Amino acid sequence: MDFLKSAVQSAIAKGSSFPYSLGDRVDISDSIWTLHNATKREDSSTCSIFTFDVASNKSRLPLAKNAVRKSRTLRHPGVIKVLDTIETEANIYIVTERVVPLSWHVKRRSLSEETSKWGLYTVASTLKFINGDASSVHGIVRASSVFTSESGEWKLGGFDVLSSMNDDNAVIYTYGSLVPDSARYTPPEVAKGGWEAIKRHPLTAIDSYGLGILVYEVFNGNFTGGEQVGKTTNIPHGMQQSYKRLCTANPKLRLSPAHFVEQGKKSGGFFQTTLIRLTDDIESLGLKNDAERDEFVNELDGLSEDFPEEFFKMKVLPELLKSVEFGGGGPKVLSAILKIGAKLSPDEFNSRLTPVVVRLFGNPDRALRVCLLDNLPVMIDNLPQKIVNDKIFPQITSGFTDAAPVVREQTVKAVLPIINKLSDRVINGDLLKFLARTANDEQPGIRTNTTICLGRIAKNLGQGSRTKVLIAAFTRSLRDPFVHARNAGLLALAATIEFFTEEDCASKVLPAICPSLLDKEKMVRDQANKTLDLYLQRVRKFGNTMADTVIPPSASADPVKDTARIGTSSDKSWAGWAISSFTNKLTAANGEIEPTANGATPAEVEPPRPASVPGPAKPSSPSVQKDILRPAIQPLNRSFSEQPAASPAADEIEEDVYDAWGGMDDDDEDAQEKEDDPFSAAVASPKISAPAPKPAKPAKPAAVPYDDGGEPDFAGWLAAQSKTKKPLPKGLNKTSPAVVSRTSSRSSSTVKPRTVIAPAKKIDTKPKQEEEDDGWGDAWD
């Protein structure tokens, strides 16, 4: 039989004339109706359909027809909303809003006390309307006649015997006993005298008794018979006295639904709950003043998590949206909206809240903007990426330059939740430009938060600009006068070490961290040591993987003697190469240059010299040397000991070391110029002078070779040239004090002791600007 019924219903549902599609059947007890979930074919909206099979319930057909008639005419917020009614020869359909039987929740005991009171208040208020304004009797008030809507509100149904007491032929008098399981819920006076007893007692008596049974079912889960009526098990203490008066045996002493509501609404009454107050005030929220609206929102924030979420989604949220967008609700109402919105599904959020949020970001109210920015982490997961990138972020950018510091600070903080919803072009373009402004903000807290923000979003930055931006921002924060900004810079450097190369760590980051080691604040010093250790460990680890040298080995055609090497492999001292270079000079010369009778040194008489040192040049052309003191560039494979060099004093060497390194205070540009032309700096330096002149000694008959360190006797050669009146090379036509001293020390015994040498003039050793061949290399041919 059930199979045939289902087949018939399915055939009707699929018929072209039936505008609804039947879905799953919903179990409903103690009813002449079969409940189905359904959808409307026209717009796919959800609904519920109560179906009555005429063929199988002909005796109860008057009840079904009465329910259809009363459903069309009875309108109240506490009554199930009827969308359509369809009557055929085989079936009767009542199409309503989507509902669920309350008995489901009652049997599972899933209702909280607050929700139960709120639902009972709604049913009692609806019965008050039916008994008072409509002068009617419901007749079968019980859990099976109450349903919950999609908004979680309790809706009264079951109008099978709903009758007006002004009608003498009301259906309740004749067919009241045909209601399923009526004996269990029948009041004592009806059980004794039949349904005609309603006329002899107060109109509200029968519905008051049913309301009392409903109270018991809601708090205890099940009602088995009349012996449970009046028991206060699990009934809230404040409601017990009123509950007993609802279901007393004497119908004239029963408390009417209207009085039940009145007692519950008294100060301290059982219906004085936050949820009930919100229900009464939500409809008039747009008409409330600021004080009343703030009180409403404060109560809304005080609700616990066990309240019906559906009610807030379907009823409270739309009214709050109207208030904040058109009624000036302000940040408090917005906070309540976002709190409810956190419980919405992504689809519900996009359909109900996203359009409003986009419009609110364009609102010039700063308090509203700060509230939106502060709640971005709550709603960002439900906002589509395209909406955030194209519509919300362009409106957020005005906050970076807002005159109010609190707006700028909240805007910087809002970058973190939305960074994953922004495109690479926006991040590496507009966002970095605005963060560069806030990094130099006059407020130290905003500068600090910008540094923290950059450290958190480092992984989202483009590889082309990430290193440059992070190093520039973090190293600048290390010089910030605000202590927390400096500490934030060190923390950010420690957190982003993976984004820097080893070269950047050694050349840019470590030098910037070092001054923080002596910061005036201990907090900064401690963090600087921790960050420095991280970078040093990385640099050292990378250094251990590098090759020992990058200089390729070279095979010299003319091997250098062991005595002329710069240090040895067995010499482990740090100054070993310097010592060996000085000692090698003493052994490099094997003879002394002998002057001729007229004081000149003939070209054919050459002093012993190492094979690698070129001989003196013979001037063969008018082009002479331009700068005699400028040394020629030697091959790289020549040992330092083979190059002619004077032995400067110790203090002069120390001064020259600082000049060679450019000094600690030199500008970068000066240091670069010295690197570009190190030789010109060496020539122009006046700090290294020739050794002090020694007094001349009487010459001996046999000339003893003088160890001059392999250096040509420039002074003697110049003196000989002056006597023979040969043309001197350009730039050397005047002698210097150094020449006089070296001539007196190295001349042979044939030089006259009373020879007067003209006063020496300072030789201009500065390099000439014009590019001329100085002929310096010709002297060594």
Side-chain angles (χ1 to χ4, degrees):
M1 188 66 182
D2 292 338
F3 173 76
L4 293 175
K5 290 170 60 178
S6 300
V8 172
Q9 292 171 357
S10 177
I12 295 174
K14 294 180 180 179
S16 59
S17 61
F18 195 76
Y20 300 94
S21 298
L22 292 179
D24 298 333
R25 178 177 174 176
V26 179
D27 184 21
I28 179 173
S29 58
D30 301 336
S31 177
I32 65 174
W33 300 91
T34 303
L35 180 61
H36 291 267
N37 292 329
T39 57
K40 190 175 182 180
R41 293 183 177 181
E42 182 180 358
D43 56 4
S44 300
S45 57
T46 60
C47 59
S48 294
I49 297 181
F50 290 86
T51 305
F52 178 79
D53 187 2
V54 176
S56 61
N57 291 288
K58 286 185 178 181
S59 61
R60 293 172 176 172
L61 182 59
L63 299 179
K65 289 184 176 292
N66 183 72
V68 171
R69 184 171 59 255
K70 295 298 182 181
S71 297
R72 289 173 179 173
T73 58
L74 188 62
R75 292 288 184 266
H76 188 270
V79 174
I80 294 178
K81 183 179 181 181
V82 177
L83 304 177
D84 194 6
T85 58
I86 301 175
E87 297 185 44
T88 65
E89 294 181 358
N91 294 277
I92 297 176
Y93 302 98
I94 301 177
V95 183
T96 68
E97 59 182 319
R98 178 65 64 87
V99 293
V100 174
L102 178 65
S103 56
W104 285 15
H105 305 287
V106 169
K107 292 177 180 179
R108 293 197 301 265
R109 305 288 300 275
S110 61
L111 298 172
S112 65
E113 181 178 331
E114 188 81 9
T115 303
S116 299
K117 290 181 178 180
W118 172 58
L120 290 172
Y121 170 77
T122 302
V123 173
S125 300
T126 305
L127 290 175
K128 174 185 175 181
F129 166 76
I130 292 174
N131 296 154
D133 297 342
S135 300
S136 300
V137 174
H138 186 280
I140 51 174
V141 179
R142 61 186 75 170
S144 59
S145 298
V146 182
F147 301 84
T148 59
S149 66
E150 289 183 307
S151 61
E153 297 174 279
W154 290 18
K155 302 286 186 174
L156 185 61
F159 300 138
D160 303 344
V161 294
L162 178 64
S163 302
S164 174
M165 293 297 99
N166 297 328
D167 185 5
D168 294 336
N169 297 321
V171 70
I172 193 172
Y173 301 138
T174 307
Y175 301 99
S177 59
L178 296 178
V179 175
D181 206 9
S182 61
R184 186 155 50 107
Y185 295 94
T186 301
E189 67 273 14
V190 173
K192 292 180 180 179
W195 290 96
E196 293 288 340
I198 298 176
K199 299 178 180 180
R200 300 187 297 270
H201 299 291
L203 181 148
T204 60
I206 189 170
D207 287 340
S208 296
Y209 188 84
L211 181 60
I213 294 176
L214 177 63
V215 171
Y216 183 88
E217 286 182 303
V218 167
F219 290 106
N220 291 275
N222 193 15
F223 178 74
T224 57
E227 68 277 1
Q228 292 179 329
V229 176
K231 290 186 177 180
T232 59
T233 306
N234 297 326
I235 306 296
H237 179 72
M239 191 184 291
Q240 290 180 1
Q241 293 299 324
S242 299
Y243 157 71
K244 288 180 179 179
R245 292 187 60 189
L246 281 175
C247 48
T248 183
N250 189 349
K252 295 182 179 180
L253 298 179
R254 287 175 191 160
L255 193 67
S256 68
H259 287 90
F260 183 71
V261 172
E262 183 180 352
Q263 290 189 2
K265 293 290 289 182
K266 288 182 179 180
S267 180
F270 49 86
F271 283 154
Q272 285 291 331
T273 65
T274 303
L275 187 57
I276 293 175
R277 286 196 298 269
L278 289 175
T279 306
D280 292 339
D281 295 341
I282 192 62
E283 299 293 339
S284 59
L285 180 62
L287 303 177
K288 295 181 180 295
N289 56 35
D290 294 342
E292 293 174 341
R293 188 185 296 112
D294 291 343
E295 182 181 358
F296 173 82
V297 174
N298 292 333
E299 290 183 351
L300 190 63
D301 291 338
L303 294 178
S304 59
E305 296 295 331
D306 59 352
F307 290 162
E309 296 181 3
E310 295 79 8
F311 175 72
F312 291 100
K313 294 177 184 179
M314 303 293 295
K315 291 294 183 180
V316 178
L317 184 59
E319 296 298 328
L320 293 177
L321 290 174
K322 293 177 185 177
S323 176
V324 73
E325 194 169 5
F326 306 110
K332 288 188 175 181
V333 177
L334 179 61
S335 299
I337 290 174
L338 297 178
K339 183 178 179 180
I340 299 173
K343 301 179 181 180
L344 297 177
S345 65
D347 293 338
E348 291 175 333
F349 192 96
N350 289 331
S351 62
R352 298 182 183 182
L353 286 186
T354 298
V356 179
V357 170
V358 173
R359 290 194 296 267
L360 290 178
F361 266 110
N363 195 307
D365 187 1
R366 284 195 175 99
L368 199 62
R369 168 65 65 87
V370 171
C371 184
L372 282 170
L373 295 174
D374 193 37
N375 287 276
L376 264 179
V378 178
M379 57 182 175
I380 192 63
D381 292 337
N382 294 321
L383 293 174
Q385 181 176 2
K386 185 174 180 58
I387 296 294
V388 175
N389 189 79
D390 298 343
K391 296 182 178 180
I392 294 180
F393 180 76
Q395 298 181 18
I396 288 178
T397 55
S398 61
F400 288 106
T401 57
D402 195 273
V406 64
V407 177
R408 299 199 303 272
E409 184 171 5
Q410 288 300 125
T411 305
V412 172
K413 292 180 179 179
V415 172
L416 297 180
I418 70 172
I419 188 66
N420 293 325
K421 296 293 182 75
L422 300 179
S423 64
D424 293 339
R425 181 185 61 81
V426 172
I427 293 174
N428 297 285
D430 296 340
L431 179 59
L432 287 183
K433 291 179 182 178
F434 286 113
L435 290 179
R437 293 174 63 95
T438 56
N440 296 315
D441 197 273
E442 60 182 8
Q443 297 294 326
I446 297 177
R447 298 196 302 269
T448 304
N449 286 330
T450 302
T451 301
I452 297 173
C453 177
L454 282 172
R456 297 281 297 275
I457 68 173
K459 61 180 181 296
N460 300 99
L461 300 180
Q463 296 182 358
S465 60
R466 178 166 53 200
T467 301
K468 183 188 300 183
V469 170
L470 294 183
I471 291 179
F474 297 158
T475 54
R476 176 182 294 178
S477 65
L478 298 182
R479 302 188 298 270
D480 197 290
F482 188 51
V483 57
H484 296 288
R486 300 197 298 274
N487 192 60
L490 292 169
L491 290 170
L493 283 173
T496 57
I497 186 174
E498 60 181 303
F499 301 117
F500 305 133
T501 63
E502 286 76 8
E503 289 77 7
D504 291 334
C505 295
S507 62
K508 297 178 181 179
V509 180
L510 284 174
I513 295 176
C514 289
S516 300
L517 297 174
L518 298 179
D519 195 273
K520 295 181 180 180
E521 299 293 334
K522 186 178 184 299
M523 176 178 65
V524 179
R525 295 195 301 271
D526 294 343
Q527 185 58 45
N529 280 283
K530 296 178 182 178
T531 305
L532 187 71
D533 290 341
L534 291 176
Y535 279 86
L536 283 176
Q537 291 176 7
R538 181 176 177 183
V539 172
R540 287 169 178 167
K541 183 178 179 180
F542 181 76
N544 292 334
T545 63
M546 298 176 65
D548 294 342
T549 181
V550 295
I551 302 176
S554 60
S556 178
D558 189 6
V560 184
K561 296 180 180 180
D562 293 340
T563 56
R565 289 182 300 171
I566 302 179
T568 60
S569 59
S570 60
D571 191 355
K572 304 299 182 181
S573 66
W574 70 273
W577 65 271
I579 297 173
S580 64
S581 65
F582 279 106
T583 55
N584 287 338
K585 289 181 180 180
L586 301 178
T587 60
N590 295 324
E592 184 180 30
I593 299 176
E594 293 290 341
T596 58
N598 56 2
T601 305
E604 62 274 6
V605 181
E606 295 182 0
R609 52 185 174 81
S612 61
V613 179
K618 297 180 181 180
S620 58
S621 61
S623 62
V624 294
Q625 301 162 346
K626 189 182 224 183
D627 191 350
I628 195 65
L629 295 182
R630 182 169 181 171
I633 300 176
Q634 301 297 328
L636 294 177
N637 59 355
R638 178 175 293 176
S639 65
F640 180 77
S641 62
E642 294 174 351
Q643 301 178 7
S647 299
D651 57 342
E652 292 175 341
I653 293 176
E654 183 178 359
E655 292 178 359
D656 188 61
V657 166
Y658 288 102
D659 290 339
W661 284 93
M664 297 301 293
D665 296 331
D666 289 346
D667 295 334
D668 295 337
E669 294 180 359
D670 296 338
Q672 185 64 33
E673 291 176 1
K674 291 181 180 181
E675 286 183 355
D676 295 341
D677 194 4
F679 297 104
S680 62
V683 173
S685 177
K687 296 183 179 180
I688 300 180
S689 60
K694 298 180 181 179
K697 295 182 179 181
K700 294 183 181 180
V704 180
Y706 177 75
D707 185 7
D708 60 354
E711 182 179 22
D713 189 1
F714 298 122
W717 180 75
L718 290 175
Q721 294 293 329
S722 63
K723 289 184 179 182
T724 57
K725 297 182 179 181
K726 293 182 179 180
L728 294 177
K730 185 178 181 180
L732 297 181
N733 54 355
K734 294 182 181 181
T735 59
S736 62
V739 174
V740 175
S741 63
R742 302 186 71 167
T743 304
S744 60
S745 63
R746 297 186 184 184
S747 61
S748 63
S749 58
T750 60
V751 179
K752 296 180 181 181
R754 293 184 179 181
T755 301
V756 179
I757 301 175
K761 294 185 179 181
K762 187 176 180 182
I763 299 175
D764 185 8
T765 61
K766 294 183 180 180
K768 304 299 182 179
Q769 296 298 328
E770 58 273 13
E771 295 294 335
E772 296 181 1
D773 186 8
D774 54 8
W776 176 255
D778 297 338
W780 294 91
D781 291 340

